[in-house]
């Protein structure tokens, strides 16, 4: 199965993608500006992720890069909402600094246990602040709305908290515009020391 470049570009209502066919390439710009895309499972036989493939998919919060990938093009995941990146590649492929440019958060990178050191040394992969073995729990920022109090956290105590939990970017308080529409019950904002 072959899919052309930019096949689903600007499909702003596209929310999820399941590949039931065998493809080996995500072509250039395939999901460019699919601003509602929040779920995709890449087939295990993928070897190439083209430039701009997921550029500006702001609701895409996690991605798993299959083990056979040998190429990821410029800006492939730039300007996305990624919080969790799992790479199954035992040896990190060469990527440019633009691949994960201007993300809305500081995602955790999960890699095979035997590959952690290689990723920590690899150009541009080493820019992830947390590179952990697959299966370990990273620190992911989140906010909680409880009785009108909106609290921001950056720790692993999520399971101990009560209320409605929202994932947020780390190192910054960036709230999508729709937060203000959906969270008009906020009466107090708390920035936890974490």
């Amino acid at each position: 199965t072959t899919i052309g470049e930019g096949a689903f570009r600007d499909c702003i209502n596209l929310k999820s993608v399941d590949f039931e066919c065998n493809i080996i390439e995500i072509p250039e710009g395939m999901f460019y500006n699919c601003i509602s895309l929040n779920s995709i499972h890449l087939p295990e036989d993928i070897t190439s992720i083209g430039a701009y493939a997921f550029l500006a998919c702001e609701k895409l919060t996690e991605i798993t890069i299959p083990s056979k990938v040998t190429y990821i093009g410029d800006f492939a995941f730039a300007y996305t909402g990624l919080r969790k990146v799992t790479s199954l590649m035992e040896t990190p492929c060469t990527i440019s600094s633009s691949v994960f440019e201007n993300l809305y958060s500081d995602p955790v990178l999960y890699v095979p246990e035997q590959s952690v050191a290689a990723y920590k040394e690899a150009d541009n992969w080493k820019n992830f602040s947390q590179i952990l073995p697959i299966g370990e729990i990273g620190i992911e920022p989140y906010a909680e709305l409880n009785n009108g109090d909106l609290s921001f956290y950056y720790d692993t105590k999520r399971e101990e908290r009560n209320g409605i939990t929202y994932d947020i970017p780390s190192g910054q308080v960036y709230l999508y515009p729709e937060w203000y529409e959906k969270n008009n019950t906020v009466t107090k904002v708390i920035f936890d020391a974490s």
Side-chain angles (χ1 to χ4, degrees):
T1 302
T2 303
I3 302 171
E5 291 183 4
F8 301 100
R9 181 179 177 152
D10 297 321
C11 288
I12 61 171
N13 293 315
L14 179 64
K15 292 183 179 178
S16 67
V17 177
D18 290 316
F19 290 96
E20 295 181 0
C21 60
N22 238 357
I23 64 169
I24 60 168
E25 172 189 23
I26 299 294
E28 183 172 316
M30 184 171 182
F31 299 104
Y32 184 120
N33 201 41
C34 291
I35 59 174
S36 298
L37 182 63
N38 61 32
S39 174
I40 188 164
H41 176 77
L42 298 178
E44 62 183 37
D45 290 331
I46 292 284
T47 60
S48 173
I49 299 172
Y52 315 103
F54 297 95
L55 179 69
C57 294
E58 59 188 41
K59 298 233 169 134
L60 188 63
T61 59
E62 63 181 81
I63 194 79
T64 297
I65 300 168
S67 62
K68 296 178 183 176
V69 170
T70 58
Y71 172 79
I72 302 175
D74 292 341
F75 299 98
F77 298 104
Y79 297 91
T80 63
L82 287 175
R83 289 189 309 269
K84 178 180 179 182
V85 177
T86 302
S87 175
L88 302 178
M89 298 178 292
E90 291 189 9
T91 302
C93 67
T94 301
I95 61 171
S96 75
S97 61
S98 70
V99 169
F100 295 102
E101 184 174 284
N102 290 316
L103 299 181
Y104 295 141
S105 70
D106 181 16
V108 179
L109 174 61
Y110 294 97
V111 301
E113 186 171 5
Q114 69 276 16
S115 304
V116 171
Y119 278 87
K120 287 183 175 182
E121 294 293 320
D123 284 342
N124 301 309
W125 290 103
K126 66 184 177 185
N127 296 340
F128 283 86
S129 62
Q130 294 182 78
I131 301 175
L132 301 173
I134 294 169
E136 233 178 75
I137 298 173
I139 299 173
E140 297 181 17
Y142 62 100
E144 174 192 75
L145 181 60
N146 193 6
N147 295 323
D149 293 352
L150 180 62
S151 301
F152 293 91
Y153 302 100
Y154 191 66
D155 59 25
T156 56
K157 297 179 183 173
R158 177 183 304 221
E159 67 280 358
E160 297 174 16
R161 313 265 190 220
N162 294 316
I164 301 170
T165 301
Y166 304 94
D167 291 304
I168 60 169
S170 65
Q172 58 183 328
V173 177
Y174 178 91
L175 302 177
Y176 293 101
E178 58 264 24
W179 263 66
Y180 301 106
E181 296 168 18
K182 294 178 182 175
N183 296 297
N184 57 9
T185 59
V186 174
T187 57
K188 181 178 180 182
V189 176
I190 303 161
F191 292 91
D192 179 80
S194 65

